[in-house]
Amino acid sequence: MKNIPYLLILIRFILAPIILLTAYFKGGECRFLILFLMYFGLLTDIFDGIIARKVGVSSEKLRRLDSQTDLVFWLSLGFAAYFLNPGLIKSEWKGIALIFCMEGLCYIISWLKFGKETCTHAWLSKLWGLSLLLALTYVIGFQQAGWAFYLTVALGFISHLDVILIILLLPKWQYDVPSCYHAWKIRKGKQRKKSIFFN
């Protein structure tokens, strides 16, 4: 049971190259297969944390591995979206560039301050992940951007600002910090009790 969270993370990591290669070599004929793999990957992401906390193996190592696997997984879907809809992705390059810049900024600030990558698993980041799921469903499955894409860009910008504030407020590196408000409370010496279902 204690190995299940690691197995779920491994599955999500393996899905990344499968998604990339399927999109590159098979193209549009496999759009809905890629969507299935995306939703399956999301389920592994949800349950690896829940199971880890339930069986008491939610460690720094596991959470950092989870974060980096998430990055690889969602990047593979982003590139898959480009392979399937290059014109659409190029037309929305400004919003995409903004998110990449914000993501990079989070990592740079975290490395400069703590010498480690960010691993907050913040609530706004989870909300952004759901909006990203919706946007990629539209782009990959239906070749549309529209409101779902713009919602994702807006939430992505806000959630990354929240992560940057968390990093700046934390007195020392810590994983699973729900928001900048919680980081401020930690700075004041107050620790929060973690639940099974939320970090």
Side-chain angles (χ1 to χ4, degrees):
M1 189 74 172
K2 291 186 176 181
N3 291 325
I4 291 178
Y6 287 98
L7 179 61
L8 292 174
I9 291 171
L10 177 62
I11 289 171
R12 193 159 66 259
F13 184 78
I14 292 172
L15 285 178
I18 293 174
I19 288 168
L20 268 178
L21 293 172
T22 301
Y24 186 79
F25 288 108
K26 295 294 184 179
E29 65 185 82
C30 290
R31 289 180 186 275
F32 292 100
L33 172 60
I34 292 170
L35 286 181
F36 170 79
L37 295 177
M38 178 176 72
Y39 279 86
F40 180 68
L42 177 69
L43 288 175
T44 68
D45 191 20
I46 291 171
F47 284 103
D48 63 19
I50 293 174
I51 294 171
R53 285 185 288 276
K54 191 171 180 63
V55 300
V57 296
S58 183
S59 63
E60 176 185 329
K61 177 185 175 182
L62 179 71
R63 299 306 277 163
R64 291 177 73 181
L65 186 62
D66 179 53
S67 284
Q68 298 313 303
T69 302
D70 284 348
L71 182 63
V72 172
F73 178 72
W74 290 107
L75 277 175
S76 74
L77 284 160
F79 281 106
Y82 174 77
F83 294 147
L84 295 173
N85 307 283
L88 179 59
I89 298 301
K90 287 176 182 177
S91 69
E92 302 293 351
W93 71 270
K94 291 181 181 178
I96 296 169
L98 175 64
I99 297 304
F100 271 98
C101 287
M102 293 298 290
E103 182 76 20
L105 196 57
C106 289
Y107 274 81
I108 290 169
I109 294 172
S110 185
W111 274 102
L112 288 175
K113 185 171 182 180
F114 300 121
K116 291 182 181 180
E117 78 285 359
T118 178
C119 187
T120 61
H121 292 99
W123 289 342
L124 281 177
S125 296
K126 294 178 186 294
L127 182 61
W128 177 56
L130 291 176
S131 73
L132 187 59
L133 182 81
L134 182 62
L136 286 170
T137 298
Y138 271 81
V139 172
I140 294 173
F142 306 101
Q143 304 173 64
Q144 298 176 14
W147 66 270
F149 176 83
Y150 300 119
L151 175 64
T152 296
V153 172
L155 283 175
F157 181 76
I158 294 168
S159 67
H160 282 87
L161 278 181
D162 182 53
V163 171
I164 289 171
L165 286 173
I166 290 171
I167 296 166
L168 294 175
L169 286 168
L170 285 176
K172 62 180 181 179
W173 188 91
Q174 189 169 325
Y175 65 93
D176 290 357
V177 183
S179 70
C180 59
Y181 169 72
H182 291 87
W184 176 78
K185 289 180 69 176
I186 292 169
R187 188 180 184 89
K188 296 294 182 181
K190 300 176 182 178
Q191 295 293 328
R192 67 183 289 270
K193 187 178 181 181
K194 298 177 181 180
S195 72
I196 291 176
F197 295 102
F198 297 98
N199 45 339

